[in-house]
Amino acid sequence: MKQFLKKVSPFNNSTKMPVSLFIIKKILAFWVCYITGLFIAEEMLCRGIVLHALKEKTSFLTAVIVSTILFILECYFV
């Protein structure tokens, strides 16, 4: 069991790893990074840039409502 876990570890770059397992690990790593990036981008856009920019020009309630609408549209189109 210990040898198996060592072979499938994501930090193991051993050449003894089966090619199919290597490809699966790369695909999973891609999707984890992609989904994480989407969440970070959403947070920066809706709660970072848009909300603070609108908060300076309008009331806080208006800024929250517009930011929420933009967030809903972003989730709908992505």
Side-chain angles (χ1 to χ4, degrees):
M1 183 68 161
K2 191 174 185 180
Q3 291 295 330
F4 175 74
L5 290 176
K6 187 175 181 180
K7 286 182 182 180
V8 299
S9 169
F11 304 108
N12 182 10
N13 291 327
S14 173
T15 57
K16 297 176 187 175
M17 182 185 311
V19 174
S20 59
L21 182 61
F22 179 75
I23 292 171
I24 290 171
K25 282 174 41 175
K26 293 296 180 183
I27 291 171
L28 288 175
F30 168 78
W31 280 109
V32 167
C33 292
Y34 180 75
I35 292 170
T36 303
L38 287 176
F39 287 124
I40 291 172
E42 176 271 323
E43 285 294 323
M44 288 180 64
L45 175 69
C46 287
R47 289 177 181 75
I49 299 169
V50 174
L51 182 63
H52 290 290
L54 289 172
K55 198 167 54 172
E56 294 174 0
K57 298 178 181 174
T58 63
S59 69
F60 181 73
L61 182 60
T62 305
V64 169
I65 291 171
V66 172
S67 177
T68 303
I69 290 170
L70 288 174
F71 171 70
I72 291 168
L73 290 174
E74 178 191 6
C75 289
Y76 179 74
F77 289 114
V78 170

